[in-house]
């Protein structure tokens, strides 16, 4: 009774608003019942106002046939439609011809579907469809204008996920298995891990058939389902599954280092500048043994740097030299931990006989 009194008061006030929009006037009809509802719906239609909920309301009130209601509804859905509105409308369609029409329409849908994932009456999941399958997905959990993630799909199968706030990009092979994971590390360097397919998985969402529409229309309309229990990406854990990772290097502007990994431990590294290799290094137990460098760009790795560990702490090195050493090996200054260059050999003509040793 209290709800009905509030609804009646609301209905009486609507005509006083000269600029009442279509949605407000339609809600006035939806809150009413009986002959009053029919009269308000007819008045709404007479004003040539439109709203996707009008199809459902008119169908229930007997003012539209199922065929007419479906044709009216899809004109709105062509641009955008709420999942809740779609489901509540679809369950009303029972006649063969309208059911088939709506089924074919959804099987080739190319509009925007909005979804309220947390029940606060505000959509926070936005799905662009192409040929009846999700193509682009955005999830803004708190409706704060900052997407938790965005996703790209190929005929409904996720191929990539981006986390804008953390500058993370995930590329999939056989979903949900990751083949590439790119991000900025704590030092602001671009890092990309690469994985063999079916080795490392991360599932922020899945794509499955919506059950209400399956029951109502006897079809599979695929929809993203948020995985609220998905863990955050752990880069230390992911490194254990990666077979390589790339990182920007400060040794030269535009330089990139590609490390080969085994169980997260470097085995070798290739150093390149603008796509051309200029050095390669080899590691043992994660510690660099030696690095061969082409200093003059002639394709001959004439300089060989051999490394060792100063376990007794007897070798002093300036902060500048330490920075240069670690940047050349790892791309940026980091703790030296006793590492030093034990020997440098230069073989200018590539005859394997050093021309210079230090």
């Amino acid at each position: 009774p209290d709800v009905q009194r509030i609804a009646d008061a609301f209905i009486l006030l609507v005509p006083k608003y000269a600029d009442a929009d279509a949605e407000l006037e339609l809600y006035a009809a939806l809150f009413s019942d009986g002959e009053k509802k029919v009269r308000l719906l007819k008045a709404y239609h007479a004003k040539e106002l439109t709203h996707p909920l009008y199809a459902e309301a008119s169908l229930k009130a007997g003012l539209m046939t199922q065929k007419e209601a479906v044709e009216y509804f899809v004109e709105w859905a062509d641009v955008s439609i709420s999942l809740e509105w779609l489901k509540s409308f679809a369950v009303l369609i029972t006649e063969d011809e309208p059911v088939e029409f709506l089924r074919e329409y959804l099987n080739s849908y190319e509009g925007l579907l909005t979804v309220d994932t947390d029940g606060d009456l505000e959509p926070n999941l936005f799905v662009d469809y192409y040929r009846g399958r999700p193509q682009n997905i955005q999830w803004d959990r708190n409706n704060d204008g900052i997407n938790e993630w965005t996703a790209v799909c190929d005929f409904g199968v996720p191929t990539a996920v981006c986390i804008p706030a953390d500058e993370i990009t995930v590329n999939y092979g056989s979903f949900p298995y990751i083949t590439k994971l790119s991000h900025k590390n704590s030092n602001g360097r671009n890092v990309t891990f690469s994985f063999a397919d079916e080795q490392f998985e991360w599932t922020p969402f899945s794509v499955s058939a919506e059950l209400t529409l399956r029951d109502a229309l006897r079809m599979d309309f695929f929809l993203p389902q948020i995985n609220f229990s998905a863990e955050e990406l752990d880069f230390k854990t992911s490194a254990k599954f990666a077979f390589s990772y790339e990182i920007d290097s400060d040794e030269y502007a535009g330089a990139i280092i590609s490390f080969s990994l085994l169980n997260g431990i470097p085995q070798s590294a290739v150093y390149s500048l603008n796509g051309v290799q200029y050095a390669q290094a080899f590691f043992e137990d994660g510690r660099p043994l030696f690095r061969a460098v082409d200093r003059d760009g002639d394709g001959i790795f004439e300089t060989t740097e051999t490394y060792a560990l100063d376990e007794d702490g007897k070798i002093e090195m300036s902060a500048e030299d330490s920075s240069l050493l670690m940047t050349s090996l790892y791309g940026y200054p980091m703790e030296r931990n006793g590492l030093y260059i034990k020997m440098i050999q230069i073989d200018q003509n590539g005859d394997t006989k050093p021309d210079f040793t230090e």
Side-chain angles (χ1 to χ4, degrees):
D2 290 338
V3 174
Q4 189 59 54
R5 282 198 297 271
I6 294 172
D8 290 341
F10 169 70
I11 294 167
L12 290 173
L13 288 173
V14 168
K16 295 183 180 181
Y17 293 96
D19 297 325
D21 62 19
E23 190 166 15
L24 188 61
E25 292 210 26
L26 180 60
Y27 281 132
L30 296 178
F31 278 126
S32 60
D33 54 17
E35 288 300 319
K36 185 187 295 184
K37 173 177 283 191
V38 172
R39 177 168 49 81
L40 289 173
L41 286 172
K42 288 181 176 179
Y44 182 88
H45 180 66
K47 292 181 181 180
E48 298 184 348
L49 299 174
T50 59
H51 191 279
L53 288 178
Y54 176 76
E56 178 180 337
S58 293
L59 182 59
K60 288 180 177 179
L63 299 177
M64 276 187 176
T65 65
Q66 290 191 16
K67 182 176 182 296
E68 291 170 337
V70 169
E71 291 173 349
Y72 182 100
F73 184 84
V74 300
E75 287 185 10
W76 273 91
D78 278 345
V79 178
S80 176
I81 197 66
S82 156
L83 175 63
E84 289 306 312
W85 292 351
L86 174 58
K87 291 194 297 184
S88 64
F89 177 74
V91 297
L92 301 177
I93 307 304
T94 57
E95 298 172 2
D96 290 344
E97 184 179 346
V99 164
E100 181 62 23
F101 182 91
L102 187 55
R103 185 163 52 219
E104 291 182 1
Y105 174 79
L106 292 176
N107 271 328
S108 58
Y109 185 57
E110 296 189 356
L112 174 68
L113 187 75
T114 64
V115 185
D116 172 15
T117 67
D118 54 15
D120 67 354
L121 305 182
E122 288 289 336
N124 55 5
L125 179 65
F126 305 88
V127 188
D128 277 310
Y129 279 78
Y130 179 67
R131 295 182 179 178
R133 296 291 190 275
Q135 184 178 46
N136 295 293
I137 308 168
Q138 300 177 55
W139 187 42
D140 179 3
R141 182 170 191 166
N142 302 317
N143 294 110
D144 58 3
I146 301 174
N147 290 319
E148 265 58 41
W149 48 255
T150 63
V152 177
C153 300
D154 180 10
F155 202 60
V157 178
T159 58
V161 171
C162 294
I163 306 174
D166 297 322
E167 299 183 87
I168 296 172
T169 300
V170 172
N171 295 98
Y172 289 99
S174 304
F175 183 82
Y177 295 100
I178 296 173
T179 54
K180 283 190 181 297
L181 171 59
S182 303
H183 73 107
K184 283 189 181 295
N185 68 8
S186 58
N187 293 283
R189 302 303 191 280
N190 292 314
V191 176
T192 299
F193 290 95
S194 295
F195 307 85
D197 201 5
E198 300 187 3
Q199 292 296 311
F200 182 59
E201 65 178 290
W202 182 60
T203 316
F205 67 97
S206 59
V207 179
S208 58
E210 208 292 315
L211 298 181
T212 299
L213 296 176
R214 171 183 281 178
D215 292 340
L217 303 177
R218 301 181 299 282
M219 66 168 293
D220 286 338
F221 183 73
F222 290 92
L223 178 75
Q225 306 289 339
I226 303 297
N227 180 7
F228 290 98
S229 61
E231 297 181 357
E232 292 187 5
L233 286 166
D234 183 335
F235 299 110
K236 289 184 178 180
T237 300
S238 64
K240 296 178 181 179
F241 293 91
F243 64 78
S244 73
Y245 82 92
E246 288 186 353
I247 185 169
D248 293 344
S249 174
D250 286 346
E251 185 174 22
Y252 301 107
I256 293 175
I257 309 174
S258 179
F259 292 89
S260 294
L261 304 176
L262 180 63
N263 298 323
I265 299 173
Q267 305 296 306
S268 63
V270 172
Y271 302 75
S272 59
L273 179 63
N274 299 322
V276 178
Q277 181 179 342
Y278 68 86
Q280 55 188 350
F282 296 89
F283 297 73
E284 185 177 78
D285 298 327
R287 178 176 63 86
L289 293 178
F290 67 89
R291 188 172 88 130
V293 187
D294 175 13
R295 297 289 185 190
D296 53 16
D298 64 355
I300 298 175
F301 297 90
E302 76 282 348
T303 303
T304 301
E305 302 166 344
T306 303
Y307 306 97
L309 284 179
D310 174 24
E311 297 179 353
D312 299 325
K314 295 180 179 180
I315 296 176
E316 295 184 0
M317 186 179 294
S318 69
E320 181 179 0
D321 287 343
S322 176
S323 175
L324 288 173
L325 171 61
M326 302 311 287
T327 297
S328 67
L329 283 169
Y330 296 101
Y332 60 93
M334 55 190 298
E335 288 295 324
R336 184 169 62 90
N337 294 324
L339 187 70
Y340 70 98
I341 299 177
K342 180 181 180 180
M343 181 173 61
I344 297 177
Q345 293 181 314
I346 299 176
D347 177 11
Q348 293 285 5
N349 56 14
D351 64 357
T352 70
K353 296 179 180 179
D355 302 312
F356 172 83
T357 299
E358 179 182 359

